[in-house]
Amino acid sequence: MMLTELTIAGAQGGLRRREFSATELVGAHVAAIERLNGRLNAFITVTSDLALDAARRADAILAGGEDAPALTGIPLGIKDLFCTDGVRTTAASRMLEAFVPPYESTVTANLLADGAVFVGKTNLDEFAMGSANITSAFGSVENPWKRAGDEETVLVPGGSSGGSAAAVAARLAMGATGTDTGGSIRQPASYCGIAGIKPTYGRCSRWGTIAFASSLDQAGPMARTVEDCAILLQSMAGFDVRDSTSVDIAVPDYRAACGRSLKGMKVGIPAEYRVAGMPAEVEAAWEQGIAWLRDAGCEIVEVSLPYTKYGLATYYIVAPAECSSNLARYDGVRFGRRVPGESLDALYEATRREGFGAEVRRRILMGTYVLSAGYYDAYYLRAQKVRNLIRKDFENAFRTVDVLLTPTAPSPAFAQGEKMDDPVQMYLNDVFTVPASMAGVPAMSVPAGLSASGLPLGLQVIGRSFDEESVFAAASALERAAGFTHRPAVRAEVV
């Protein structure tokens, strides 16, 4: 049995039937990491010894005959933006290269309470700022997929949660946490041929997660199947009194929503997502997804989200402004990297120059500019007004439909080196994912097929606030119809 090929749902059953042990399951993934991480660079920190110790404890619980928590013995990767007690947490930045938190983030604490085993901290774009996982201070991540007939070209995994996506796709972990600010779960999920959901803003606590843009950041799961994402989100979600943006609302049974009948569900197709220059294969995948949902009993409805065209521009005012504010704390005085200077100002300048990479510095500069006197009203305040209009677009659409269906990304994964010299082209990778982030609504990417070059293409299901169940139901139907069983060229083969 190829233990690294199991889904989380499959492993849960196998562990409880004693077909294999947690130590064997975790050991197979640890061995895969040891063999492939030097190439993929999906993990910044590997915690093999801690993982195997946790696996042995999981075996003791499973052998005791007691009701084991849902994730007992399941090996997961944790995006290196979640603080983990006693384990280095870097945000992929030299600024926090040596930071070891003395506390656990709420999301990871919830997963640990449900028995999960952490095999390491996954790579990401520095401070979650990027769409290709090329801005990490610890090196770029390689997408385990290859273009058909081209084994040499290295493709990007998407970002910022590229390490998590690559680890799951390559079978180095059964699932992983991600964070999504403007598409950082969904876009890498699409590029790497896996599933990933950004829940409603406020569904998962942000406490203990290193901040990029506080009004947008949201934790979510990434896994190889929709059902596995549902299992993970069940553990990750919940109210947290320590997070003022956490919403006190019951967490439903997400797994039960997978496979639910779609008869009578209304699916909106937003006209504004048919952007100029969209590749024919992306549009064809979208049309195929529409046909699959129609065949599943859904009613297809054309809808309009007129302010969508302003989503990306609005995002790149709001997000850098919040980034500028959040990252002001890294000054070399209280914690993180410190570079000596002849004066306090010189210390600040030297520390931030050496601690932050080029993309982070770019966004801090943009954010500081739009918040500065004389420009606040012209840029930031106006962007917040447009953001409210974007939110109202979604509210209006959801008066007539239950979910929306769109492409996840405007292209399949591109090669390292392509688009890298043009920040605007890089930002355009998030054109389909940003609007849902601006509105705070849940959205999920699910693999829908392959491009002409043999690379994964994803479709995005967007739902009403706190109606992740409908998102899971529609995404599960797409997954069944697509029958996506393709595997990347670079993956674990450890028994």
Side-chain angles (χ1 to χ4, degrees):
M1 179 186 295
M2 298 287 289
L3 295 180
T4 52
E5 288 294 329
L6 290 170
T7 63
I8 292 174
Q12 285 179 320
L15 286 167
R16 282 153 181 77
R17 290 189 297 270
R18 310 305 289 156
E19 294 172 0
F20 47 85
S21 68
T23 302
E24 290 171 324
L25 181 65
V26 172
H29 287 85
V30 166
I33 293 170
E34 290 173 351
R35 187 167 69 84
L36 289 177
N37 194 54
R39 173 177 179 174
L40 297 177
N41 200 29
F43 288 88
I44 292 174
T45 301
V46 178
T47 54
S48 303
D49 292 341
L50 291 174
L52 291 170
D53 286 345
R56 286 186 281 270
R57 291 194 298 272
D59 280 328
I61 292 171
L62 289 162
E66 58 191 279
D67 271 347
L71 295 176
T72 299
I74 301 297
L76 302 179
I78 302 299
K79 185 175 181 178
D80 204 16
L81 208 63
F82 293 88
C83 289
T84 42
D85 189 2
V87 177
R88 184 174 70 145
T89 302
T90 69
S93 177
R94 294 297 176 204
M95 186 63 80
L96 293 174
E97 188 173 12
F99 176 55
V100 178
Y103 55 89
E104 193 78 31
S105 79
T106 298
V107 162
T108 52
N110 289 347
L111 290 168
L112 290 171
D114 265 356
V117 175
F118 298 164
V119 292
K121 305 297 290 291
T122 58
N123 208 341
L124 64 146
D125 283 297
E126 185 180 7
F127 281 101
M129 299 179 201
S131 302
N133 219 144
I134 55 175
T135 70
S136 170
F138 298 89
S140 301
V141 175
E142 178 178 338
N143 190 328
W145 286 82
K146 294 292 181 183
R147 289 172 178 155
D150 182 0
E151 293 295 319
E152 300 301 319
T153 301
V154 175
L155 305 176
V156 303
S160 65
S161 306
S164 291
V168 171
R171 279 64 172 165
L172 308 187
M174 304 195 82
T177 62
T179 61
D180 194 309
T181 306
S184 290
I185 288 173
R186 292 159 287 158
Q187 185 247 31
S190 178
Y191 281 7
C192 291
I194 64 170
I197 183 169
K198 179 198 84 68
T200 308
Y201 182 79
R203 176 63 89 180
C204 293
S205 171
R206 293 186 302 107
W207 193 86
T209 308
I210 296 171
F212 163 17
S214 299
S215 74
L216 294 160
D217 298 343
Q218 185 58 207
M222 307 175 79
R224 293 205 304 277
T225 69
V226 173
E227 182 182 29
D228 284 359
C229 284
I231 292 168
L232 291 175
L233 185 58
Q234 193 76 43
S235 291
M236 295 169 65
F239 176 64
D240 182 6
V241 70
R242 293 173 297 185
D243 176 7
S244 63
T245 63
S246 176
V247 178
D248 190 1
I249 186 170
V251 178
D253 185 349
Y254 295 127
R255 190 174 186 177
C258 300
R260 192 174 74 186
S261 172
L262 300 189
K263 190 174 178 61
M265 176 180 279
K266 294 183 177 181
V267 178
I269 309 301
E272 290 76 13
Y273 280 65
R274 299 186 187 278
V275 297
M278 180 191 294
E281 59 191 5
V282 173
E283 185 153 9
W286 190 11
E287 291 298 332
Q288 180 63 73
I290 293 169
W292 285 333
L293 290 181
R294 184 183 289 113
D295 291 345
C298 296
E299 179 185 344
I300 306 302
V301 181
E302 293 289 331
V303 298
S304 178
L305 303 171
Y307 288 95
T308 288
K309 61 185 177 182
Y310 302 117
L312 206 61
T314 304
Y315 174 83
Y316 278 104
I317 293 172
V318 173
E322 295 185 12
C323 144
S324 171
S325 176
N326 277 323
L327 271 61
R329 70 193 70 177
Y330 303 110
D331 55 13
V333 175
R334 288 161 288 188
F335 56 88
R337 176 179 287 264
R338 174 182 293 193
V339 179
E342 294 181 357
S343 65
L344 186 60
D345 284 350
L347 179 146
Y348 288 160
E349 292 169 2
T351 296
R352 290 168 71 82
R353 181 171 57 249
E354 290 193 20
F356 293 138
E359 181 61 29
V360 173
R361 292 198 301 268
R362 180 183 293 116
R363 297 200 193 195
I364 289 172
L365 286 168
M366 286 194 296
T368 303
Y369 177 81
V370 301
L371 290 175
S372 61
Y375 297 101
Y376 180 91
D377 289 349
Y379 290 101
Y380 184 72
L381 194 59
R382 184 171 295 180
Q384 290 289 20
K385 290 177 180 178
V386 174
R387 180 182 185 178
N388 194 44
L389 294 172
I390 293 170
R391 185 184 296 112
K392 287 181 178 178
D393 272 354
F394 281 95
E395 290 172 356
N396 291 335
F398 287 128
R399 290 192 178 99
T400 56
V401 300
D402 300 301
V403 297
L404 302 172
L405 180 69
T406 76
T408 304
S411 71
F414 53 90
Q416 288 185 7
E418 294 176 3
K419 306 184 182 182
M420 290 171 61
D421 295 330
D422 187 346
V424 174
Q425 283 299 312
M426 291 293 286
Y427 298 163
L428 287 171
N429 292 314
D430 297 328
V431 65
F432 296 141
T433 54
V434 157
S437 293
M438 297 300 286
V441 295
M444 182 171 203
S445 181
V446 61
L450 298 180
S451 70
S453 57
L455 298 178
L457 296 172
L459 290 176
Q460 177 179 221
V461 180
I462 306 172
R464 296 184 182 93
S465 290
F466 299 103
D467 186 17
E468 287 86 1
E469 290 169 287
S470 292
V471 173
F472 278 121
S476 181
L478 289 169
E479 180 181 59
R480 289 194 303 274
F484 191 90
T485 57
H486 309 285
R487 298 184 294 174
V490 182
R491 63 182 187 276
E493 296 175 357
V494 181
V495 178

